[in-house]
Amino acid sequence: MISRTAFENILKEYDAKQLASQRDLQERREMIDRQVPRLKEIDKEIAALSVEKAIRRIRGGSLDSYYEKMDGLKEEKASLLALSGFSLEDLEPRYECSKCKDTGYIGNELCSCFKSRITDVLYDQSNIKEILKDENFNTFFFKYYPTGPALENAEKAVEAAKAFVRDFDKGPSNLFISGNTGVGKTFLTNCIAKDLIDKGYFVVYLSAIRLFDILSDAAFGSGKAETDSVSADYMKKIIYNSDLLVIDDLGTEMVNSFTSTQLFNCVNERLLKDKHTIISTNFSLKQLQENYSERLVSRIVSRYTLIRLLGDDIRMKKKLEA
């Protein structure tokens, strides 16, 4: 979860970008005006024409002469700029992100550039950055799975995970990764998260316990979420709207009617928004139904690719190798 301080720092970054673009435009405009002094006169004439147009519309007069004069002024402006080595674009601000014009928002929604910046901060703040150096597709070794069904399942799981990353932009897709403790579920989700983060997608990676702490705080003001964090309501919005939400170790939280309802709402809302979700858990589908709800299992069975990892505890095997 991103801290309030970090979030405010991102907002300051965007304020600084806008200020820098305004200063850049002002300096560029002053330079152009010095080299092409006629531009100021043209701008005044264009402004006067705009007023004249408004008056004519009110009075019902013809606008033919207005358009003729305006076109002439615009052509003169473009020609003078070109002769001095400039263009009309040089009179406009230069933004790092043309979509949001460096505000971070498009309407009331976060721009993709702002989401990417949040991901960068989360990536840097958490130990996930260090973890993903070691846990990625290049370091996923099949030698830890015994020959037979366990190895076959692992190979299919990795192929499904790579396809998930490869086809991420082709349409909404979701993964439900289950298996006993230590068989590589979290490792596999880390592989996917790393590739998508590196591609610039907005990935939110939360343990089930952390997810429900945030949702509890949003619902009841429980205070379980960190005190220096941005509002839980805002984090809930981020959880519902991220490009990818990873819910790790589902079932390790205290399961009750609240968590059951909130999990269904989260899963269902993201399905409605065509957002990608990955759930990893020790639970089988039967256990999931027993602990949560039949309608949740129905959503997962119908809209998720099911991956079941088999084998022994790989972490124990690695310790024995050390």
Side-chain angles (χ1 to χ4, degrees):
M1 188 171 180
I2 189 169
S3 69
R4 181 181 297 278
T5 300
F7 190 82
E8 289 175 349
N9 285 339
I10 295 176
L11 291 176
K12 289 178 182 176
E13 288 177 14
Y14 275 80
D15 288 340
K17 287 181 182 181
Q18 292 179 67
L19 181 59
S21 66
Q22 291 168 7
R23 287 176 177 170
D24 173 65
L25 175 61
Q26 182 179 352
E27 292 173 0
R28 195 174 345 110
R29 185 61 199 249
E30 288 173 354
M31 178 185 67
I32 293 173
D33 285 341
R34 286 194 299 270
Q35 297 186 39
V36 192
R38 166 66 179 148
L39 285 186
K40 284 188 175 181
E41 296 176 12
I42 292 176
D43 286 339
K44 288 180 181 178
E45 292 176 28
I46 288 175
L49 271 177
S50 297
V51 173
E52 181 183 331
K53 177 185 178 184
I55 293 173
R56 288 192 181 186
R57 278 190 167 173
I58 293 172
R59 294 178 177 175
S62 172
L63 295 176
D64 292 344
S65 63
Y66 159 80
Y67 288 117
E68 183 179 346
K69 290 178 182 178
M70 184 63 77
D71 289 343
L73 288 171
K74 288 181 178 179
E75 289 176 8
E76 182 185 0
K77 187 174 185 177
S79 177
L80 288 172
L81 285 168
L83 286 172
S84 299
F86 301 109
S87 68
L88 290 172
E89 286 74 21
D90 291 320
L91 300 178
E92 300 297 329
R94 293 170 179 168
Y95 300 110
E96 289 186 24
C97 179
S98 59
K99 291 184 291 185
C100 71
K101 298 182 178 178
D102 292 344
T103 63
Y105 288 84
I106 299 176
N108 294 322
E109 297 296 323
L110 285 176
C111 181
S112 59
C113 69
F114 198 102
K115 293 177 181 179
S116 294
R117 187 69 188 101
I118 292 176
T119 300
D120 290 341
V121 171
L122 288 170
Y123 196 37
D124 290 335
Q125 279 184 340
S126 67
N127 64 346
I128 191 70
K129 189 172 185 178
E130 294 304 314
I131 291 173
L132 296 187
K133 287 181 181 179
D134 299 320
E135 299 189 3
N136 52 71
F137 285 119
N138 291 329
T139 60
F140 193 104
F141 299 125
F142 294 109
K143 67 179 183 178
Y144 295 109
Y145 295 92
T147 302
L151 178 58
E152 293 172 4
N153 276 20
E155 291 172 341
K156 290 178 181 177
V158 170
E159 182 52 41
K162 289 181 177 179
F164 181 86
V165 173
R166 183 177 62 248
D167 300 334
F168 198 78
D169 278 336
K170 293 182 179 179
S173 56
N174 310 280
L175 299 177
F176 180 80
I177 305 173
S178 62
N180 294 331
T181 300
V183 294
K185 301 185 301 297
T186 298
F187 198 115
L188 189 58
T189 59
N190 286 343
C191 294
I192 297 169
K194 181 183 188 306
D195 274 20
L196 291 174
I197 288 171
D198 289 346
K199 290 175 182 291
Y201 291 102
F202 186 28
V203 178
V204 174
Y205 196 117
L206 295 169
S207 68
I209 293 173
R210 192 77 187 101
L211 170 68
F212 292 117
D213 280 350
I214 295 169
L215 297 180
S216 175
D217 209 357
F220 309 116
S222 63
K224 290 182 178 180
E226 297 174 7
T227 55
D228 69 337
S229 299
V230 296
S231 74
D233 282 335
Y234 197 84
M235 274 306 301
K236 180 178 179 180
K237 186 176 181 180
I238 288 176
I239 288 168
Y240 277 26
N241 290 281
S242 59
D243 295 327
L244 171 64
L245 172 65
V246 178
I247 305 174
D248 193 34
D249 273 341
L250 182 68
T252 55
E253 79 286 355
M254 184 179 292
V255 181
N256 51 42
S257 59
F258 171 79
T259 55
S260 178
T261 299
Q262 290 298 313
L263 179 61
F264 175 80
N265 290 343
C266 181
V267 166
N268 194 55
E269 184 72 15
R270 289 184 60 81
L271 286 173
L272 292 174
K273 291 176 178 289
D274 288 339
K275 300 295 184 181
H276 302 72
T277 306
I278 298 176
I279 298 174
S280 74
T281 180
N282 291 353
F283 284 173
S284 64
L285 287 175
K286 181 179 179 181
Q287 291 171 314
L288 199 70
Q289 182 174 325
E290 292 171 349
N291 285 274
Y292 296 95
S293 68
E294 185 175 344
R295 60 179 185 164
L296 173 66
V297 174
S298 175
R299 294 292 190 282
I300 290 174
V301 169
S302 62
R303 301 291 295 276
Y304 281 60
T305 297
L306 306 181
I307 296 175
R308 179 76 177 172
L309 288 172
L310 307 175
D312 303 320
D313 192 329
I314 294 173
R315 284 170 292 194
M316 185 63 67
K317 290 183 177 180
K318 288 183 177 179
K319 285 182 180 180
L320 293 174
E321 285 181 350

